Amino acid sequence: MVISNRKTLEAKNIHVSFGGIHALSGVDLSLATGDILGLIGPNGAGKTTMVNVLTGFQRPKPGAVILDGRDVSKLSAPKMARAGIGRSFQAARLFRNLSVLENLTVAGLGIGLSKAKATEQGREILRWMSLVDQADQKASSLSYSSERRVSIARAVALRPSFLLLDEPASGMNEAECESLMEIITGLPKRVECGVLLIEHNMQVIMGVCDRVHVLDGGKSLAEGRPEEIRSNAVVLRAYLGEDASRKNTRI
Amino acid sequence: MLYFLQVSIDALALGSLYALVALAIGLVFGVMRLINFAQADYITIGAYSLVAPSTAAVPALMFGALHWVPMVAVVLLAVTVLALLTERLAFRPLRNTDTTTLLISSFAVSYFLQSLVLMLHGGRPKTVSIGEGLTSAVELFGLRIPGIQLLTMVVAMALLVVLVVFLKKTSLGVQLRAASENFEMARLLGVPANLVISIAFGISGILGGTISILFVVQTGSLDVRMGLMPAVYAFFATVIGGIGSLPGAVLGGYIVGILSVLLQAYLPVEVRPFRDAVVFAIVIIILLVRPQGLFVTGGAKERV
């Protein structure tokens, strides 16, 4: 990895409130291409809000999103996507009447590829994600875990510089989680992107992330390497709960 | 048996027509969440463009005087431009408002266009004869099929095939299908919003123009509200098929077309004048049983 080619995505002093409730208050976050950053925290900590801010779905007030030195806070969601910040959603949101491959072709066309090139790229991504057998199936016929993988594949087809994954492992069984972890670990090299991973499954977080950022009640609690976070007393108390230190020893 | 076959052909011909209008309404609904009632007036205006503006009951021909190839081309072009104009002037500025505003805007456009026709052509129905050769019947396997019905079926099927190929095989087609299913997601994936919406309206114009010519050849008459019933039927077709589903719209079109012809043929004579009421009653029953339409696969609730 060449350091000088690395792009950065930074969130600075992000505040978001919904009718008096502070979803985020003063959060800083920074991510470079090549990195996988985990974003964890209890329900309501502000994780999805953070992703919404970083992808233009939610304006920070105040706060700034800086992509490679440029302030992109005011861009709309489609423009953020074009600028290279891709995301997956908690619900897969596939085009259900299109085939799996067509779902990826749409993304390829969106970055200006010809239909042939977009289709070829789509096949390549599906092959890599072991989804190529389902390429011509209608998206509505997919199993839940395939659906989630296809939604990541489609986000990859936009060739983002940064990919934000919102709970990609939710509802997956252990084997599915493992193949997902393999895919996520491969993303920075294959797509040359940075990954922000929101996930409740600690095994996935600890297994793939270079660093982990912990949110609680809309504030940053800690950031560090997975093993540091795992043994951080503040995190254990606030995030995992009073009786969680026991649970945590199992992780 | 022969009567039944004859009726079936009527049913297929009418079903094909409704399928085309339903597809036009479905395409525009897909990309804009707009039920475009002005679709009725695209048909009306296409039909009136065949004659010169006057108040005469048997008016002089305008586009209708042309050889059939340029005539079809000019009418389709006129209606397509009209559809694109209504999108640009009436609907695009309202795109980010709610669906009710769009719907009301479409009523306004519809009334505006009807008034325009009234101003130019007067209010009374007109007689116009084009394509007279087509009204004579063709003998096929002992069946007598009016040429216009054959033409309607062939044209409708051909257009459906062309549209399916366009939607399945071209870049724009795939983007249009994606956009008609989830417009926001499509935009996130780089589908150009203005372009796909214009394409949807353009197609609805081409379909409206085609239907207007077929109608005039079939009925030989013009009326300010001639587009209304096909549009209303087509609207029901899209609802039955599952609003937002393009194959559903086509199938819905065939269902209401076939239903209305079969009822016309087989209802007791005393009930026949109330055929439309019976059709709509069946539509209501279908919707009570399957409110999401016949061909829609349910989507998941999402959290942004």
Side-chain angles (χ1 to χ4, degrees):
Chain A
M1 215 170 306
V2 188
I3 302 294
S4 61
N5 276 346
R6 290 181 117 198
K7 292 182 179 164
T8 54
L9 176 63
E10 291 166 281
K12 286 192 171 156
N13 193 27
I14 301 293
H15 290 76
V16 173
S17 48
F18 300 110
I21 296 162
H22 298 287
L24 290 172
S25 25
V27 177
D28 293 293
L29 202 69
S30 130
L31 175 64
T33 48
D35 287 349
I36 302 178
L37 174 65
L39 185 60
I40 63 172
N43 284 328
K47 304 180 300 284
T48 296
T49 306
M50 192 65 202
V51 170
N52 286 343
V53 166
L54 288 170
T55 48
F57 281 86
Q58 177 73 52
R59 291 265 160 84
K61 241 188 206 171
V65 179
I66 314 283
L67 174 63
D68 235 11
R70 174 177 158 229
D71 188 342
V72 292
S73 323
K74 298 232 155 44
L75 295 188
S76 65
K79 285 193 174 139
M80 284 288 216
R82 226 169 303 155
I85 306 175
R87 74 175 286 182
S88 74
F89 292 86
Q90 284 183 18
R93 294 191 177 195
L94 299 179
F95 302 119
R96 300 169 65 81
N97 292 315
L98 271 60
S99 75
V100 168
L101 181 59
E102 281 172 335
N103 265 277
L104 273 70
T105 305
V106 170
L109 293 169
I111 53 169
L113 300 181
S114 69
K115 178 130 190 298
K117 282 259 163 61
T119 309
E120 190 189 308
Q121 169 190 276
R123 267 191 198 288
E124 206 173 295
I125 295 169
L126 290 177
R127 205 168 296 131
W128 164 47
M129 292 202 179
S130 321
L131 284 164
V132 78
D133 294 339
Q134 286 152 301
D136 297 318
Q137 265 181 41
K138 232 173 142 184
S140 58
S141 71
L142 292 175
S143 71
Y144 181 76
S145 78
S146 302
E147 217 176 51
R148 303 199 69 95
R149 270 188 298 158
V150 171
S151 84
I152 297 175
R154 188 176 64 178
V156 165
L158 277 177
R159 297 188 191 165
S161 306
F162 295 94
L163 187 52
L164 282 48
L165 305 176
D166 198 351
E167 296 189 18
S170 76
M172 286 191 177
N173 65 32
E174 208 161 316
E176 290 163 347
C177 271
E178 276 187 14
S179 83
L180 180 75
M181 283 166 73
E182 211 171 294
I183 288 168
I184 295 175
T185 317
L187 282 171
K189 274 225 175 90
R190 292 218 175 223
V191 192
E192 293 173 25
C193 69
V195 177
L196 182 72
L197 175 64
I198 294 187
E199 188 48 67
H200 280 298
N201 184 328
M202 281 304 129
Q203 205 183 335
V204 174
I205 286 283
M206 295 301 164
V208 305
C209 293
D210 303 307
R211 286 183 308 140
V212 178
H213 191 109
V214 188
L215 286 180
D216 184 32
K219 293 196 171 93
S220 293
L221 210 57
E223 187 180 320
R225 303 175 59 76
E227 53 273 24
E228 291 164 13
I229 293 298
R230 198 170 5 205
S231 53
N232 184 317
V234 182
V235 175
L236 290 186
R237 223 181 7 261
Y239 170 56
L240 295 169
E242 284 307 327
D243 66 338
S245 24
R246 262 178 295 129
K247 229 198 227 165
N248 181 57
T249 49
R250 267 187 280 140
I251 294 177
Chain B
M1 184 61 198
L2 206 59
Y3 178 64
F4 175 72
L5 283 176
Q6 202 88 52
V7 169
S8 306
I9 286 171
D10 280 358
L12 273 180
L14 192 67
S16 310
L17 265 187
Y18 288 160
L20 287 183
V21 193
L23 196 55
I25 288 177
L27 273 171
V28 168
F29 179 84
V31 292
M32 266 197 124
R33 305 288 114 171
L34 157 70
I35 295 159
N36 187 12
F37 279 98
Q39 185 68 42
D41 307 283
Y42 299 163
I43 298 172
T44 309
I45 288 194
Y48 270 89
S49 75
L50 292 165
V51 302
S54 74
T55 51
V58 187
L61 293 177
M62 193 167 73
F63 295 158
L66 299 167
H67 178 262
W68 74 271
V69 178
M71 176 189 83
V72 169
V74 173
V75 171
L76 292 194
L77 186 71
V79 180
T80 306
V81 169
L82 174 72
L84 290 173
L85 270 179
T86 53
E87 188 271 319
R88 188 72 191 79
L89 299 176
F91 300 128
R92 190 176 296 186
L94 299 174
R95 191 185 300 161
N96 296 321
T97 61
D98 56 313
T99 48
T100 319
T101 312
L102 276 169
L103 188 66
I104 290 170
S105 175
S106 100
F107 283 128
V109 170
S110 175
Y111 275 106
F112 172 78
L113 294 176
Q114 276 180 35
S115 308
L116 201 67
V117 173
L118 279 174
M119 242 167 66
L120 292 172
H121 295 273
R124 62 173 160 173
K126 294 165 186 264
T127 311
V128 57
S129 47
I130 56 166
E132 271 160 334
L134 289 166
T135 42
S136 57
V138 183
E139 285 262 358
L140 258 183
F141 313 111
L143 284 175
R144 292 178 59 77
I145 309 167
I148 177 63
Q149 293 207 344
L150 218 54
L151 182 73
T152 303
M153 273 192 282
V154 170
V155 168
M157 304 266 180
L159 271 176
L160 285 177
V161 169
V162 169
L163 265 175
V164 167
V165 170
F166 168 75
L167 289 170
K168 290 254 174 200
K169 298 291 173 198
T170 68
S171 302
L172 266 175
V174 176
Q175 289 179 310
L176 187 57
R177 276 161 59 217
S180 74
E181 205 176 310
N182 186 337
F183 194 74
E184 284 316 307
M185 195 65 227
R187 288 197 67 193
L188 286 179
L189 294 171
V191 172
N194 287 341
L195 185 61
V196 288
I197 288 179
S198 297
I199 297 281
F201 272 89
I203 293 173
S204 80
I206 292 174
L207 295 176
T210 310
I211 292 154
S212 69
I213 298 174
L214 291 172
F215 253 50
V216 173
V217 175
Q218 194 158 15
T219 62
S221 65
L222 295 174
D223 183 279
V224 181
R225 285 185 188 80
M226 62 184 290
L228 191 63
M229 274 329 261
V232 168
Y233 264 95
F235 168 60
F236 287 129
T238 53
V239 175
I240 290 179
I243 204 145
S245 158
L246 298 179
V250 171
L251 284 168
Y254 277 103
I255 290 174
V256 291
I258 289 168
L259 207 58
S260 82
V261 172
L262 288 184
L263 289 174
Q264 179 70 32
Y266 292 111
L267 275 180
V269 179
E270 316 81 73
V271 190
R272 270 181 213 175
F274 307 106
R275 181 200 59 177
D276 286 344
V278 177
V279 175
F280 296 158
I282 293 175
V283 169
I284 291 171
I285 292 168
I286 292 178
L287 289 180
L288 282 175
V289 180
R290 270 189 76 88
Q292 72 276 38
L294 294 174
F295 306 100
V296 158
T297 46
K301 234 191 145 82
E302 41 198 42
R303 174 180 168 194
V304 179

